[in-house]
Amino acid sequence: MRISVIGCGYLGAVHASAMAELGHDVVGIDVDERKIAALAAGRPAFYEPGLPEILASATASGRLRFSTDIAAAADAEVHFVAVGTPQSAETGAADVSFVDAAFFALLPHLADGALVVGKSTVPVGTAARLAERLAAEAPHARLAWNPEFLREGFAVKDTLSPDRLVYGIGAGDGHAASVLDHVYRAAIEAGTPRIVTDYATAELVKVAANAFLATKISFINAMSEIADATGADVTALADAIGHDARIGRRFLNAGVGFGGGCLPKDIRGFIARAEELGLHDTLAFLGAVDETNLRQRRRVVDLAVQDLGGTAAGRKVAVLGVTFKPDSDDVRDSPALDIAVSLQELGAEVVVTDPEGLENALARRPDLRAASTTREALFGADLVILATEWNEYRALDPAAAGRLVGERRIIDGRNVLDPAAWRSAGWHYRGIGRP
Ligand SMILES: NC(=O)c1ccc[n+]([C@@H]2O[C@H](COP(=O)([O-])OP(=O)(O)OC[C@H]3O[C@@H](n4cnc5c(N)ncnc54)[C@H](O)[C@@H]3O)[C@@H](O)[C@H]2O)c1
């Protein structure tokens, strides 16, 4: 099929490349000239495993091109809108102005029978509003909402082989569903579950999924606080409750908490939307989920100060990781970066390092001192904080690391190290909710 993807950030660049990989003829469009120039030259503007390979093969095949001109979308039969929906600073609500701008820019270029497909995560009600405008201004075109569930770090695999497909379609618009079936034929033939529903449900599926995941993480982090106060071990607790199939072990890892460009802003946007709907109490628990999550960052900073003997001033702290998760260079709302900045503000001499995220971290916080290698970051440190669980940090050898630091103290902010191995190498080891 002929496809356009409008917005080529973390979601759109992967989606455009994956659609071309599936054999479609794709144009990726973005207002950011530098991003488009880099993508057209086969260089993704961000780190995502597997993306350079499919981007290179798709551009070489001629099935994928890029443009900053929305008119380049005119030939497409299907238009995916994948622009950002950041948190609005004043209200916490999702800012849909980029979605609106992309949608209205696209309207004059829609061919007869074109299908506009929303991918961005939007407040419930957005699709119905845009469908009304479409019916009035381009009645020859239709709208569907097809939320995206990809995980950064696994984005290529998740896009090529999603664990489910959700289509929100207008009343009686079976044709939109069959067009999307055509787009995702490979996944559907592989048995991917597909849920065809209305706009509101499709929009809600995405934010409900993120709200549930955020709740699961904050739940185990709350348990880690109880564990710290009682001498219990939150990791064993998670293993034990995780054996219950109704609970499940995944996303039950206590640590510095969640971050990134989705979970924090999506739960805040969901709370704001519920309030607009007059449901002031309904999602109040998500406020507690958010607060528990942010408290984890402060808790790690407090533990660091405690381990440094009551003051961070003048002490050298090595922070391993700045991204919100491994296998990504994304530092949006990153707990690791927050912890580094907070300790620096307390007077510590912080040195951050990360395999992929340093450029983005320094773009946000040019005042941070960065080391390009773990070795350099560890050198002379009074305290080490493992803040993002990159494999390189999980695999650190406590004896070798011990020879580099000034003092053998580590806070394992992701509970991924073996406490016994680190302690027997002479380290003061502290996990989150681990005795
Ligand atoms: N990143 C993820 O893992 C992920 C996963 C699922 C859903 N989402 C959702 O997908 C959406 C995009 O997220 P992202 O992380 O890719 O954001 P992003 O900020 O990385 O990318 C958004 C892109 O849209 C472009 N853009 C803005 N206005 C435009 C316009 N009028 N025309 C063309 N391009 C325009 C921006 O220049 C930017 O490149 C958000 O709603 C997000 O919640 C993201």
Side-chain angles (χ1 to χ4, degrees), residues 308 311-317 343-350 380-382:
L308 289 168
T311 176
R315 310 300 296 280
K316 189 176 168 201
V317 180
L343 283 167
Q344 179 159 293
E345 282 167 359
L346 289 173
E349 288 177 24
V350 174
D382 297 311

Side-chain angles (χ1 to χ4, degrees), residues 5-13 29-33 35 46 48 68 70 81-86 97-103 105 119-122 147-152 155 206 210 261-262 265-266 324 330 332:
V5 178
I6 299 146
C8 289
Y10 283 93
L11 165 56
I29 295 169
D30 202 289
V31 289
D32 184 330
E33 285 177 12
K35 212 173 259 186
F46 55 92
E48 180 62 47
T68 52
I70 191 76
V81 176
V83 299
T85 47
S97 61
F98 300 100
V99 173
D100 286 358
F103 179 83
K119 275 245 151 250
S120 304
T121 304
V122 291
E148 178 56 59
F149 303 100
L150 69 80
R151 298 159 300 164
E152 286 176 25
K206 175 63 193 174
N210 276 354
C262 289
K265 72 140 173 97
D266 286 353
F324 86 97
D330 196 344
R332 291 179 287 183

